[in-house]
Amino acid sequence: MSAVHPDDLHAWRQAHVPLFNDNPLKLGIFGQNCSNGCTITHAPTSFEPTYAHNVAISKLADRLGLELLVPVGRWKHFGGSTRFNENNLEVYTWATAMACNTERVMVFATSHVPTVHPLFAAKQAATIDQISAGRFGLNIVCGWFRPEIEMFGAELIAHDDRYRMADEWLTCMKRAWTEQDFDFDGDFYHIKQGFLLPKPVQQPWPAIINAGSSEAGREFSARHVDFNFITITTEEEAAFLIQDVKRRAAAHRRQCGVMTYGLVCCRDTEKEAREVYDSIVRHGDWEATENIMRLLGIESTSFGNQETVRNLGERFIAGWGGYPLVGTPEQVVEQMQKIHAMGIEGFILSWLDYLPELEYFGERVMPLLKEAGLRL
Ligand SMILES: Cc1cc2nc3c(=O)[nH]c(=O)nc-3n(C[C@H](O)[C@H](O)[C@H](O)COP(=O)(O)O)c2cc1C
């Protein structure tokens, strides 16, 4: 298709790309491609990261009208007794397969910058966008888990340089998606007569998200992506992050929305919901959790006292540090309303047992979200 005029891009994306639709609170699924999903626990579940099980979850999400499916990009596990995230489906292949099994939902690939050349990533993205008729999305991660990056013979470079590299990586991709026969000469990439066909279906390119939370990460999001994902710890910090991302984007004459993520434990009664949450924590794999927190620099010296670190640890066990939505359907909707009121435009969700709990969410929570005006 011919290029949409820059003045019409916003309207084009609103009309054609689910991530930009009119639902006040977009909904998605996070981490369904990995063993243990987003819960670092031995609590019993029927969830398994097989292709067939992933298809069942994605088809249900599609039927319920969710906007996005976001896999975790993972190359190695985090040890512990769960060997957390050990077994996982590769994200670009996964996105293609999920696209072929769905009709409306957007399928993302969570791509590590140093593990794939930007021209190859751009080619895969354009191909999946063609296969899905414009439903592909890219989640960009720079990499922080040293053994993963070193496995590729690459070096885990200094933190802010990772975002400089990501900036070049994405610039090369954007040029490949919109130009032909271009040269690029940067510090990290050199492209001679860059060529790419087919171009993506989405205009000007596929939807892009990123979860950078450092200053360099927020600046990268503001310059380049459509939605930044924040971790909500306190209301004050969330308010600061939301304002900061939007202010930075405005300085680049663009818009960048903000979304978040978290685990859902929803049952008919608060007591039952709390029991599920407590069971996840009680069966938690603290060794894997501490490994992750150490890698992320979350230790008692830099993050306050032992109790703060333990509370954060519980949140990692129950949903990768995301916002826990625990309670009855009414209570979960109340919490989502509160979070939306802060300026959060979307929520990617995980469950201990994705498939049956998503079914319950569709039956019991989604109608209430509609009544609350969070979904059309
Ligand atoms: C919703 C969400 C999804 C993420 N997905 C991944 C992932 O799949 N793989 C990964 O290595 N890191 C992932 N991360 C980590 C981020 O890429 C990033 O490193 C982290 O948020 C810290 O930000 P900073 O690099 O700006 O300090 C994710 C973070 C969030 C909040």
Side-chain angles (χ1 to χ4, degrees):
M1 77 179 274
S2 55
V4 175
H5 189 277
D7 292 346
D8 302 329
L9 272 176
H10 187 65
W12 188 91
R13 292 178 117 192
Q14 273 190 315
H16 294 93
V17 184
L19 203 64
F20 304 103
N21 71 19
D22 290 332
N23 272 323
L25 188 71
K26 320 282 185 262
L27 290 175
I29 301 185
F30 183 38
Q32 68 182 83
N33 64 314
C34 293
S35 53
N36 281 92
C38 295
T39 45
I40 317 171
T41 183
H42 290 282
T45 172
S46 71
F47 172 73
E48 46 181 18
T50 58
Y51 171 63
H53 199 72
N54 266 269
V55 169
I57 294 167
S58 300
K59 277 181 183 279
L60 178 54
D62 201 38
R63 183 162 63 71
L64 294 174
L66 269 55
E67 278 82 13
L68 67 165
L69 303 176
V70 183
V72 165
R74 192 84 294 135
W75 298 96
K76 283 205 157 178
H77 64 83
F78 293 105
S81 51
T82 51
R83 292 169 71 89
F84 181 59
N85 284 174
E86 175 175 46
N87 183 352
N88 62 76
L89 296 167
E90 190 282 318
V91 291
Y92 287 96
T93 326
W94 176 88
T96 313
M98 295 309 121
C100 293
N101 282 284
T102 52
E103 285 169 15
R104 295 187 293 170
V105 68
M106 295 194 75
V107 289
F108 278 70
T110 298
S111 188
H112 282 88
V113 169
T115 63
V116 53
H117 190 277
L119 281 182
F120 192 61
K123 184 86 175 167
Q124 292 182 106
T127 304
I128 306 171
D129 209 43
Q130 289 286 333
I131 292 170
S132 64
R135 291 186 288 128
F136 177 72
L138 187 65
N139 178 20
I140 299 178
V141 295
C142 295
W144 48 271
F145 184 20
R146 186 177 295 279
E148 285 191 324
I149 305 306
E150 290 183 347
M151 183 170 94
F152 284 81
E155 185 196 346
L156 186 68
I157 56 178
H159 180 274
D160 290 4
D161 287 342
R162 295 175 210 161
Y163 283 105
R164 277 207 309 122
M165 185 176 181
D167 196 305
E168 282 193 13
W169 189 80
L170 191 51
T171 300
C172 292
M173 289 180 79
K174 287 180 173 178
R175 292 194 64 182
W177 285 330
T178 52
E179 298 177 37
Q180 216 62 298
D181 302 321
F182 67 94
D183 291 334
F184 182 88
D185 232 347
D187 291 339
F188 300 92
Y189 299 104
H190 304 278
I191 292 174
K192 205 169 156 186
Q193 294 287 286
F195 181 89
L196 187 106
L197 268 181
K199 300 293 189 201
V201 171
Q202 282 171 78
Q203 300 276 328
W205 41 64
I208 306 172
I209 63 176
N210 165 255
S213 61
S214 57
E215 195 175 342
R218 281 178 270 131
E219 180 61 20
F220 172 77
S221 277
R223 274 170 59 83
H224 273 298
V225 317
D226 299 305
F227 287 96
N228 176 265
F229 278 72
I230 65 165
T231 302
I232 299 178
T233 43
T234 63
E235 274 185 46
E236 294 72 39
E237 200 201 13
F240 165 76
L241 292 173
I242 295 165
Q243 290 301 319
D244 186 72
V245 167
K246 289 185 183 291
R247 185 184 55 77
R248 285 172 188 270
H252 296 294
R253 296 170 173 271
R254 34 184 329 277
Q255 289 183 351
C256 180
V258 178
M259 297 194 180
T260 195
Y261 65 105
L263 177 89
V264 183
C265 284
C266 188
R267 295 292 186 274
D268 291 351
T269 66
E270 188 180 343
K271 183 167 172 284
E272 286 171 278
R274 182 55 53 192
E275 275 166 12
V276 178
Y277 185 85
D278 290 345
S279 160
I280 292 172
V281 174
R282 202 170 54 252
H283 292 96
D285 172 3
W286 277 98
E287 192 184 336
T289 306
E290 277 163 12
N291 288 342
I292 293 171
M293 290 174 70
R294 196 172 47 249
L295 283 157
L296 288 170
I298 301 173
E299 291 177 74
S300 47
T301 42
S302 50
F303 269 82
N305 58 30
Q306 286 294 340
E307 196 188 324
T308 320
V309 172
R310 184 153 185 104
N311 289 342
L312 260 174
E314 289 189 7
R315 275 184 58 160
F316 267 89
I317 288 173
W320 244 115
Y323 193 92
L325 296 162
V326 184
T328 62
E330 290 76 14
Q331 289 170 325
V332 165
V333 171
E334 265 169 39
Q335 292 164 51
M336 286 178 139
Q337 270 177 309
K338 196 173 107 189
I339 283 164
H340 178 254
M342 292 176 188
I344 296 284
E345 294 160 72
F347 218 125
I348 52 172
L349 308 166
S350 58
W351 290 267
L352 171 65
D353 202 343
Y354 288 79
L355 191 55
E357 296 195 76
L358 175 59
E359 183 95 52
Y360 180 87
F361 186 86
E363 277 168 22
R364 300 291 312 279
V365 183
M366 301 250 332
L368 298 180
L369 286 172
K370 206 169 167 179
E371 271 175 35
L374 292 179
R375 306 280 299 172
L376 300 179

